[in-house]
Amino acid sequence: MIAGIDFLAPSADVARRLIGVVLLVDGVGGRIVETEAYDREDPASHSHAGPSVRNASMFGPPGHAYVYRSYGIHWCLNFVCREAGHGAGVLIRALEPLEGVAVMRSRRGVDDERLLCAGPGRVGQALGITREHDGLRLDAPPFELIAPPRRVPVVRGPRIGISKAVDVPWRFGLRGSRFVSRPFR
């Protein structure tokens, strides 16, 4: 259990439970307001075709980071869940900036607080995520996960930015948050 979340649970359950958790990387970060779940049986998942050099961490132990490069530009942060070898994870799509906002602005070159962490590539850049974070434990530095003081209202809908299994309702968000990457319908 990390921040009250059982990372052995199915990825959709973990994705929903992560909404409202505060994520810090070296003291910089904020409240998780948007996630997406992926599982090995899911054709949109990086793990669908089995283990590879790129996705090896996704098949590792739960409660660890899986970091990959998107479009050769952006580092994206995922949290591994289920048992080791299964190949499931949760993409961190958006944060509400809370700590180290000046550092995030510097890293992103953006002043608008709403745009600092609205999208997985932006999250990675704002938090300073690199390939060096791949495979690291989420319950040890540089990561810190802090449970919310109470349950938060969560909305769900289909994932975005993918071409397979587009109707699967495994995108989760904090109801009414202005920091999500795209509004929920």
Side-chain angles (χ1 to χ4, degrees), residues 23-127:
L23 163 63
L24 302 175
V25 180
D26 286 324
V28 175
R31 181 173 295 108
I32 299 172
V33 297
E34 185 182 356
T35 60
E36 284 182 347
Y38 293 90
D39 191 84
R40 186 171 183 172
E41 288 81 32
D42 170 14
S45 177
H46 289 177
S47 62
H48 185 67
S52 68
V53 172
R54 178 186 190 212
N55 70 12
S57 291
M58 202 165 180
F59 290 89
H64 285 65
Y66 163 51
V67 175
Y68 69 90
R69 195 154 215 158
S70 176
Y71 302 109
I73 303 169
H74 306 289
W75 291 110
C76 295
L77 176 62
N78 296 258
F79 294 168
V80 178
C81 49
R82 305 279 307 250
E83 66 277 357
H86 181 83
V90 175
L91 174 65
I92 307 303
R93 282 201 58 86
L95 301 177
E96 174 185 345
L98 298 175
E99 301 291 333
V101 175
V103 172
M104 288 189 240
R105 283 187 172 124
S106 174
R107 287 174 176 162
R108 294 260 309 112
V110 173
D111 286 329
D112 186 344
E113 195 172 87
R114 197 198 79 67
L115 296 178
L116 287 177
C117 302
R122 292 172 175 171
V123 168
Q125 188 178 20
L127 298 181

Side-chain angles (χ1 to χ4, degrees), residues 34-36 155-160 169-172 182-184:
E34 185 182 356
T35 60
E36 284 182 347
V155 294
R156 77 186 292 171
R159 297 172 295 186
I160 53 179
W170 280 1
R171 177 177 169 233
F172 300 87
R182 288 193 207 157
F184 283 77

Side-chain angles (χ1 to χ4, degrees), residues 129-148:
I129 298 296
T130 69
R131 185 72 173 168
E132 301 305 312
H133 293 95
D134 186 50
L136 296 181
R137 295 172 57 110
L138 298 174
D139 62 353
F143 293 102
E144 183 178 3
L145 296 175
I146 305 164

